[in-house]
Amino acid sequence: MRARLLVIVLFLVGVLAAGLGVPLALSNAAEAQLRLFTDQLTDTVRFASNAQRPLTEEPNLKGLEADLVSYDNVFQVAVMVLDRTGTVVLATSRNPPPTLDGEGQDRVKRALAARPSEAYPLLMPWDDRPMVLAEPVLVDTEARGVVVTITPTDDLHAGEALDWSVIAAVGVLALGLSVLVALPIVRWILRPVRRLDEGTGRVAAAVLAGAEPEPVADGSGPPELRRLTASFDQMAETVTQAYSAQRAFVADASHQLRNPLTALRLRLSNLDGQVRPGGIEDQHAALEEAERLSTLLDGLLALARAERTAPLTTVDVDYGVTDRLDAWRPLAEHTGLTLARTGDLGLHAVAPAGAVETVLDAVLDNAVKFTPSGGTITVHTALTEAFVEIAVSDTGPGMAPDELERATDRFWRSPGQINVEGSGLGLAIAARTSELAGGRLRLDVPAAGGLRVTALLPRPTDASRTTLP
């Protein structure tokens, strides 16, 4: 932003410098050329007057020739005298005499028609053509000949180039000074914007972590931006309070409901043998609903914990995987399932402490519930260019391709698995935990069937690995 605003300032200063400098340079060049034109026109008219008698009355051009040669030697301006037919009858000491270009010949024709020289258009510094002036030798308003002067424009162009260089240098100096003046002004203007940009990320992290966000407003910058930063701080405080209240409500509700729910389950269980035969089915249904509500509360509490961000650190992936496999192996073997580990060892990831365990608990819970007896659940770890992959594959029924995108939604259950116990929060917790670590959760269906859930966690820059035999 600062660089862009500085470029805009430089562009405007450059346009202003060009708008003032270019007309000034053109005006100076036109003035210098007009002076040269006037001086040479005066000399050409004088030579035309001096050539009248030698060219018409006395065909002796010796005296005129000496005058013209002396003029040429002093001023380096070639002079030619042409008769009424346009034939050169006298030229200064140049052999061969200078040649005229198309514009010079046109000027000679106008002079033979008794017309005076016209002013030259502006000659630019890169135009090296000489200035050709042709004045008629008049006798009773009749042109008896023409005097032509051919003036080099090297000195004129050198002066123009010097003027343009000075103007360009002044323009560059103005640009440099504008940078020196604009830098502190741009920094002062953009300081609130920069603090807003930096503060946005800090506010988001603070809100998710339940901490107080650092204020953005510091009283600097233009009044409009100061008001904007103050409004941003007020908004951040409001969002933080609302988010904290929401999270506190979920956590408090889960905790506060646990005790009466446990008491309700005990009372329902104590009714065994005391319920009339017609109410036994209702008692069992009530117990199932109480159990489902307890599972739902556990999921909400786990989700509330997952929503609370923690500082990122380097976590030992092997430790987390081994710990969770050991914890889930008894239940898996009890239901006739095999737990296996493949892939790379010695892996570390950047994530909040306990993130690997949280993700594996949620994903393994799903895999154990949906994999039929005799199946296999495989945890595969791998190191890629940017992530550490922790993939859990099962041999269960899997999901339809159109269900994979919705599987991480809260409380979503596959239509074919409605009767399986669960809250529908497991994959949502795993996905949220991966996202807070800077990674993501990926679901796909392997060619052999089942479901593969892969958590991608950022890898440290110095990550290394070994491979399981």
Side-chain angles (χ1 to χ4, degrees):
M1 177 68 75
R2 181 186 302 176
R4 187 179 303 173
L5 186 57
L6 188 58
V7 168
I8 293 175
V9 171
L10 290 178
F11 174 76
L12 293 177
V13 173
V15 170
L16 179 61
L20 296 176
V22 172
L24 178 61
L26 294 176
S27 175
N28 288 345
E31 183 180 355
Q33 181 174 314
L34 180 60
R35 285 197 302 267
L36 178 63
F37 175 79
T38 303
D39 292 342
Q40 295 307 120
L41 180 62
T42 300
D43 292 339
T44 307
V45 171
R46 178 169 59 84
F47 291 144
S49 177
N50 294 342
Q52 180 180 6
R53 180 172 294 178
L55 190 63
T56 57
E57 299 178 3
E58 302 173 7
N60 184 0
L61 302 175
K62 293 296 183 179
L64 179 61
E65 182 179 8
D67 187 18
L68 299 183
V69 169
S70 176
Y71 180 81
D72 189 0
N73 291 335
V74 173
F75 297 103
Q76 302 298 312
V77 176
V79 185
M80 296 188 301
V81 179
L82 289 69
D83 61 16
R84 67 174 62 189
T85 64
T87 302
V88 177
V89 296
L90 176 61
T92 55
S93 56
R94 298 170 186 260
N95 190 19
T99 59
L100 300 176
D101 57 11
E103 185 174 356
Q105 294 175 2
D106 291 340
R107 288 179 173 271
V108 169
K109 292 179 181 178
R110 286 196 295 270
L112 289 174
R115 295 166 57 188
S117 294
E118 296 180 353
Y120 255 80
L122 182 61
L123 298 174
M124 305 306 289
W126 52 86
D127 188 352
D128 58 355
R129 294 177 300 168
M131 180 181 291
V132 179
L133 299 182
E135 283 294 315
V137 179
L138 297 176
V139 177
D140 296 333
T141 69
E142 180 183 357
R144 298 294 183 90
V146 177
V147 173
V148 180
T149 57
I150 304 173
T151 307
T153 55
D154 297 340
D155 293 341
L156 175 66
H157 295 329
E160 291 179 354
L162 179 60
D163 290 344
W164 287 40
S165 299
V166 171
I167 293 173
V170 172
V172 172
L173 180 61
L175 286 177
L177 292 176
S178 67
V179 171
L180 294 178
V181 174
L183 273 176
I185 296 177
V186 169
R187 189 179 297 113
W188 175 73
I189 292 174
L190 294 183
R191 177 177 172 82
V193 178
R194 178 177 57 82
R195 289 185 60 84
L196 279 172
D197 182 52
E198 296 172 352
T200 301
R202 293 197 305 267
V203 166
V207 167
L208 292 177
E212 288 294 329
E214 179 183 348
V216 170
D218 63 352
S220 65
E224 296 81 1
L225 292 180
R226 290 203 299 268
R227 290 195 296 270
L228 177 61
T229 53
S231 300
F232 181 86
D233 286 340
Q234 293 177 359
M235 178 204 68
E237 183 178 357
T238 303
V239 171
T240 301
Q241 293 174 354
Y243 195 82
S244 298
Q246 177 188 4
R247 187 164 48 203
F249 171 78
V250 174
D252 292 344
S254 299
H255 281 294
Q256 295 299 326
L257 290 176
R258 186 179 300 278
N259 290 334
L261 181 60
T262 302
L264 176 62
R265 291 169 60 191
L266 288 175
R267 289 178 179 274
L268 289 173
S269 298
N270 291 336
L271 291 177
D272 288 345
Q274 303 180 31
V275 179
R276 285 180 291 181
I280 293 178
E281 184 177 349
D282 291 336
Q283 180 199 10
H284 291 168
L287 280 170
E288 290 177 358
E289 290 298 322
E291 187 66 31
R292 191 176 72 85
L293 183 57
S294 178
T295 302
L296 181 60
L297 287 176
D298 290 338
L300 287 173
L301 189 58
L303 184 60
R305 287 194 298 266
E307 293 282 354
R308 182 181 294 273
T309 59
L312 297 181
T313 184
T314 301
V315 298
D316 189 338
V317 175
D318 288 343
Y319 174 82
V321 172
T322 302
D323 178 69
R324 291 299 88 197
L325 286 178
D326 291 342
W328 283 90
R329 185 169 280 110
L331 178 61
E333 292 176 351
H334 177 73
T335 56
L337 301 177
T338 301
L339 281 182
R341 163 100 188 262
T342 61
D344 299 329
L345 294 176
L347 300 182
H348 292 78
V350 177
V356 174
E357 291 86 341
T358 300
V359 170
L360 283 176
D361 278 339
V363 178
L364 286 174
D365 179 56
N366 258 27
V368 169
K369 283 191 298 188
F370 293 110
T371 304
S373 179
T376 301
I377 299 174
T378 303
V379 178
H380 179 82
T381 52
L383 186 67
T384 65
E385 182 176 353
F387 296 100
V388 173
E389 294 186 354
I390 306 173
V392 178
S393 303
D394 60 49
T395 56
M399 290 184 181
D402 59 344
E403 295 177 342
L404 296 178
E405 293 184 2
R406 298 195 56 196
T408 56
D409 293 346
R410 298 178 182 183
F411 304 107
W412 184 86
R413 304 287 301 276
S414 173
Q417 307 295 335
I418 295 296
N419 295 326
V420 180
E421 294 182 0
S423 62
L425 292 173
L427 293 180
I429 293 172
R432 185 57 180 160
T433 303
S434 301
E435 292 169 0
L436 292 177
R440 65 180 187 274
L441 195 73
R442 185 179 66 203
L443 282 71
D444 63 287
V445 178
L451 179 67
R452 178 167 55 213
V453 181
T454 305
L456 290 88
L457 302 178
R459 55 173 284 182
T461 55
D462 57 346
S464 59
R465 63 184 174 187
T466 59
T467 304
L468 283 173

